Amino acid sequence: MSTAMPFDTDTTLLSDVTAAVKTAGDTLRDRYTPHARGVSLDEVVGEIHANDDAVLAVLREPLLRSRPGSQWAEDELAGGVLRPGEWWVVDPAEGNINHVHGMEDWAVTATLVRDNQPVLTVVHLPLTGDTYTAVAGGGARLNDRPLKVSAKTDLGAALTGTGQARPGEDERTFRRIGDSVTAMLINGLVVRVSVPATMQLIHVADGRMDAFWQFSDVRSGLVAGALLVSEAGGTVTDLAGEPWTTGSRDFLAAAPGIHTAALKVLSPIA
């Protein structure tokens, strides 16, 4: 049974979600240092988990309270379809590895997924104060400004990007990443290879980048950007050209004018 809700209900909910994510962002910002924390793998992982725990302590309950009956997707590195209903797919520190290494590319994200479709998202960057939001059918915004994807039509002029979704991907995935970067370097202008996915997808949604792809189904890194890009006028598919869903094995979000060309380059590798 569908749990579809009126558009105006989601729009009203957006303000509460935004407030909760911003408050959580304050917690993550307070934990930030401009130098790397941890030397051994165990120390780095410990810092990552401490960030997650601190943010979730102030974010989880407000989100669940805002939508009675909603459920929480526990594993932020999980992929695949969710059971029917409403789920919060959250990354308490998207770009956590950057945060603990003193870099600035990190955010707090929260996305409401309804019957496996993202319908509302908030991405907050605590260091800049920027907040990206989208509601399905209502467009995407950066603070108070509407977002619109790039108008480029020439892949040869495109700035594109990719990256790994999680540590310890299988060797086949790593080889596909390398092959895809080579192929896009030949056919595009410049390729960025970095993490996390959301920090590249906000650039696609705002027309600063032209495409992002990933050989992954990690939901927490894709649902927010998928909704932002699609609501900003972009095209979001898997690498077979089918509409992207939480069950897709891979991902491509691009400006409409270069999507077909990017797909032609990437699909043989996928």
Side-chain angles (χ1 to χ4, degrees):
M1 177 181 297
S2 173
T3 55
M5 295 292 293
F7 166 76
D8 57 356
T9 300
D10 290 334
T11 302
T12 301
L13 177 62
L14 182 62
S15 62
D16 290 339
V17 177
T18 301
V21 172
K22 286 184 175 180
T23 297
D26 291 342
T27 296
L28 191 58
R29 185 187 61 220
D30 290 345
R31 297 182 58 80
Y32 175 71
T33 63
H35 58 268
R37 306 191 306 278
V39 176
S40 69
L41 177 59
D42 286 345
E43 289 171 342
V44 170
V45 170
E47 292 284 351
I48 287 172
H49 288 165
N51 281 346
D52 284 343
D53 292 344
V55 174
L56 289 174
V58 297
L59 182 58
R60 178 178 176 131
E61 289 308 315
L63 291 182
L64 289 171
R65 189 169 58 245
S66 71
R67 285 298 300 152
S70 61
Q71 302 171 81
W72 193 270
E74 292 288 347
D75 185 356
E76 69 184 64
L77 293 179
V81 297
L82 295 160
R83 295 191 307 275
E86 292 187 339
W87 292 82
W88 289 106
V89 177
V90 171
D91 197 320
E94 170 74 328
N96 212 339
I97 192 70
N98 296 336
H99 186 287
V100 303
H101 283 86
M103 300 179 186
E104 299 181 354
D105 286 349
W106 47 270
V108 179
T109 77
T111 304
L112 182 63
V113 176
R114 180 177 300 132
D115 296 334
N116 283 290
Q117 294 294 324
V119 296
L120 177 153
T121 195
V122 177
V123 176
H124 179 60
L125 283 58
L127 289 184
T128 64
D130 285 335
T131 305
Y132 294 79
T133 60
V135 173
R141 306 182 75 83
L142 166 55
N143 302 324
D144 293 324
R145 175 173 63 80
L147 296 177
K148 187 175 182 180
V149 296
S150 165
K152 286 181 185 174
T153 58
D154 177 10
L155 184 61
L159 169 57
T160 65
T162 190
Q164 70 188 87
R166 59 168 81 86
E169 298 270 19
D170 61 89
E171 182 178 348
R172 181 169 178 263
T173 296
F174 287 145
R175 292 191 180 280
R176 284 190 294 177
I177 293 171
D179 290 345
S180 68
V181 169
T182 299
M184 196 61 80
L185 284 169
I186 292 168
N187 290 277
L189 180 64
V190 173
V191 179
R192 298 182 70 198
V193 182
S194 65
V195 295
T198 303
M199 298 301 286
Q200 295 198 62
L201 285 164
I202 59 176
H203 293 314
V204 177
D206 202 16
R208 296 185 292 257
M209 286 177 60
D210 304 297
F212 173 84
W213 75 94
Q214 195 169 79
F215 299 101
S216 164
D217 65 350
V218 175
R219 289 186 301 259
S220 66
L222 298 175
V223 288
L227 184 58
L228 286 165
V229 171
S230 62
E231 287 297 320
T235 304
V236 182
T237 69
D238 63 17
L239 290 175
E242 297 298 321
W244 181 82
T245 72
T246 54
S248 300
R249 294 183 303 172
D250 40 45
F251 179 90
L252 172 63
I258 69 159
H259 178 269
T260 299
L263 198 62
K264 184 177 180 180
V265 171
L266 296 169
S267 59
I269 299 166

